[in-house]
Amino acid sequence: MPLPKVNAPTFELKLLSNDKTIKYRPFLVKEEKSLLIALENGNDKDVIATVKEVLKSCVISRGTKIEDLPSFDLEYLFLNIRGKSVGETVDLIVTCQDDGETTVPLTINMSDIQLSQEEDHTDTIKLDDNLSMKLKYPSYQTFIDNNFLMKDVEDSDRIDKAFDAVVDSIDQIYTNDEMWAASDCTKKELLKFIEQLNSKQFSEIEKFFSTMPKLQYKGKVVNPKTKVESEVVIEGLANFFA
Amino acid sequence: MMYHVSVESMMETNFSLMQFHKWSLSDIENLIPWEREVYVKYLVNYLEKERLEAQQRQNASI
């Protein structure tokens, strides 16, 4: 049987979450077509599912499970794949911060978009002198559920969803002597544990999510009307392609 | 929008490449998007050159 034909160049990328280097190829016109169709349909669920399918096809390294990668790694990966497939720049229209209404075109080089991580970010939450909790990053599925499929969720359900997201992100709970892996606990047990936390402890968990690595571009634009220079900060994959 | 192209314009270009230049859809769809853009650009340049040459020949014959 003949060996498969390699018909696209391959590139390497180091993932931030685990320092693992993965190999990928650019997407092809047929995959671009699928993405365009999903985007033009305007259904977030379709967009995310299609992006995931394309990522699965483009990642060549064995043993890389797209569903298990944290959302920021996936965003960074997709950004790089898109760069090698379509072009290394992205054209945006941004609003000048000084008057909040004048819009200017901005061309961003993909290499200027970085995964930013706040210095005080930690995945270990100290609940008290003896008890700590280790959190894991939300996976792509959690990211989809929490960020894209919440549009029609009632406020009361939103709180439940937030608790669910925290429960899904618990990796282990431990004291100086004992350790409980979240995988060995039921969701009900974990939820009960979370409900015992006070607001200060809960805000520490919130901080984990808010300081999580994210795609970020920082640049400057000059307002053509006022000639005032202002800073532009763009975060998150969706905003680069808004 | 993630791209500078729409499904409609993409399909229109693919149709032109198939109908007038005899490319196959599978060949087009297996290109990298920027590669396709480059070929289309070369093709446009080539057709423009042909058009100018034809115009010059026509002008010379008058």
Side-chain angles (χ1 to χ4, degrees), chain A residues 7-9 26-30 32-33 35-37 39-40 78 82 84-86 241-242, chain B residues 1-8 10-11 14 25 28-37:
Chain A
N7 53 9
F27 55 71
L28 306 176
V29 171
K30 60 184 169 195
E32 183 189 37
K33 190 168 83 179
L35 286 169
L36 285 171
I37 291 170
L39 282 163
E40 288 202 359
F78 185 75
R82 188 194 181 275
K84 300 293 180 209
S85 311
V86 181
F241 302 117
Chain B
M1 191 55 193
M2 201 174 70
Y3 289 122
H4 51 286
V5 290
S6 63
V7 177
E8 194 184 353
M10 178 195 242
M11 292 181 104
N14 286 355
L25 184 61
I28 298 168
E29 291 201 328
N30 281 307
L31 290 173
I32 301 168
W34 65 257
E35 205 180 359
R36 175 181 166 275
E37 293 276 309

Side-chain angles (χ1 to χ4, degrees), chain A residues 123-149:
Chain A
D123 61 356
T124 303
I125 314 289
K126 209 165 163 43
L127 298 170
D128 61 33
D129 290 342
N130 187 36
L131 189 64
S132 297
M133 186 160 74
K134 192 173 184 302
L135 297 173
K136 59 184 184 217
Y137 293 111
S139 68
Y140 200 55
Q141 194 55 53
T142 312
F143 176 70
I144 294 163
D145 290 344
N146 296 331
N147 295 283
F148 294 90
L149 307 177

